[in-house]
Amino acid sequence: MIAVPAPSPHPSPTLPPLPHLPELPTGPMRSVALVTSAVAALVLLTAAYLATCRIWPYANCGRCNGSGKSRSPSRKAFRNCKRCKGTGRRERTGTKFLNRHKTH
Ligand SMILES: [Zn+2]
C-alpha cells in the first residue's frame, strides 16, 4: 500500500500564519485593515490634540521662554520680546489651525 499525501485544496505556502493578529484578515484586505486602523488612530490623536489646543491655546514664547522680556546684557534692563511683543506666549500650531478654520 502506497501512502499518497492528500493534496491541499488551497495551497498558500507564501503566506505564513499570523497567530498574534487573528482578527485581521489575510491577503490584500489585511493591509487595508492596517491602513484603516492607522488612519483612525491618527484622526483620533489629531482630534485629541486640537481639543487640548482649544483648552490651552498658548505655549511659552520660544525666545523669551514665556517671560515676555528681552533682557539687556546686564540683566537689569529689558525690553519687550520682539517675537511675542511682550506677551510671553505664542499660539500653538493647532490654535492657528483652529483660528484659520473658524466659521465665524
Ligand atoms: Zn517672547
Side-chain angles (χ1 to χ4, degrees):
M1 187 168 175
I2 304 162
V4 178
S8 173
H10 302 290
S12 60
T14 52
L15 285 175
L18 299 159
H20 46 279
L21 291 170
E23 75 276 9
L24 287 174
T26 53
M29 285 308 291
R30 189 177 123 76
S31 52
V32 169
L34 278 176
V35 167
T36 306
S37 52
V39 167
L42 202 68
V43 166
L44 277 177
L45 282 176
T46 307
Y49 170 70
L50 287 178
T52 67
C53 285
R54 193 165 282 245
I55 303 169
W56 302 288
Y58 302 110
N60 272 352
C61 168
R63 180 165 292 185
C64 61
N65 210 17
S67 70
K69 298 168 183 176
S70 181
R71 292 273 182 189
S72 70
S74 71
R75 313 296 293 172
K76 283 181 181 173
F78 64 87
R79 62 170 181 250
N80 278 350
C81 169
K82 274 183 184 172
R83 188 179 287 184
C84 62
K85 300 177 182 65
T87 60
R89 69 195 187 190
R90 65 167 179 84
E91 284 191 328
R92 297 168 72 192
T93 310
T95 306
K96 289 176 192 164
F97 177 84
L98 286 174
N99 288 342
R100 204 185 311 150
H101 292 81
K102 253 181 192 169
T103 50
H104 52 87

